[in-house]
Amino acid sequence: MGISRSSRHKRSETGAQRAHYRKKRKFELGRQPANTKLGPKRVHTVRVRGGNFKFRALRLESGNFAWGSEHTTKKTRIISVVYNASNNELVRTNTLVKSAIIQVDATPFRQWYESHYAQPVTKKGKTQTASTDAPAEPKKLSNHVQRNLEEKKKGLSVILSSMYTSNHHTDAKIDPLLESQFAAGRLYASISSRPGQSGRADGYILEGKELEVRI
């Protein structure tokens, strides 16, 4: 018996068993789940209806993740799966599926932030020890570059004030919850693609109320 997506085998609302008036059809077929795991990239192609192809990811180790409030996307390494609303077994086995909550490496986003705003993303951790060892000389910038940096910082404060309408200082660098994650070197993210269909594990960094619920 093959996997079928038809509902003719199900009972009616009153519990009656439906009559079998035809056999299974090719267009009703289903396939085995991909069960994408963490590991070196391994993607198989599957020929499907109409001569099209699906990309069945068996193992993935990285993906493109968007930082919504900063309007930037970076490719980063996936560390582990931390939550799945459908099944805890998918967390234990580190299975990558759509809407799974994962942890990703924060290094690409930290490097972008520091180069974009010319300031450290957090004062905790390595940046603090480095500053105490040897005080770095202030980097000379032109007036044009300084004006651009000030405009970027003002735009960041406006975004933060819109995300947090009360009890939040608009002069903060980033979301305080994100700041603690940057200090640990790991960010919470959600997968928005379908690894078993597209062969990719792309998503977005959790922020705001969505992050508060997860932590």
Side-chain angles (χ1 to χ4, degrees), residues 6 15 20 23 25-26 37 53 55 60 68 70-71 77 80 84 117 119-120 137 143 150 174 186 206:
S6 69
H20 302 286
K23 294 182 179 180
R25 295 294 189 259
K26 172 72 173 178
K37 308 293 183 184
F53 285 94
F55 300 95
L60 292 173
E70 293 295 337
H71 306 287
R77 180 174 59 92
S80 64
N84 193 304
Y117 291 106
Q119 65 180 13
E137 297 181 359
N143 293 332
E150 291 175 358
I174 58 173
R186 298 182 173 194
L206 296 183

Side-chain angles (χ1 to χ4, degrees), residues 172-190:
K173 297 175 184 177
I174 58 173
D175 183 352
L177 294 177
L178 275 180
E179 187 174 359
S180 62
Q181 294 179 50
F182 272 110
R186 298 182 173 194
L187 297 176
Y188 285 102
S190 177

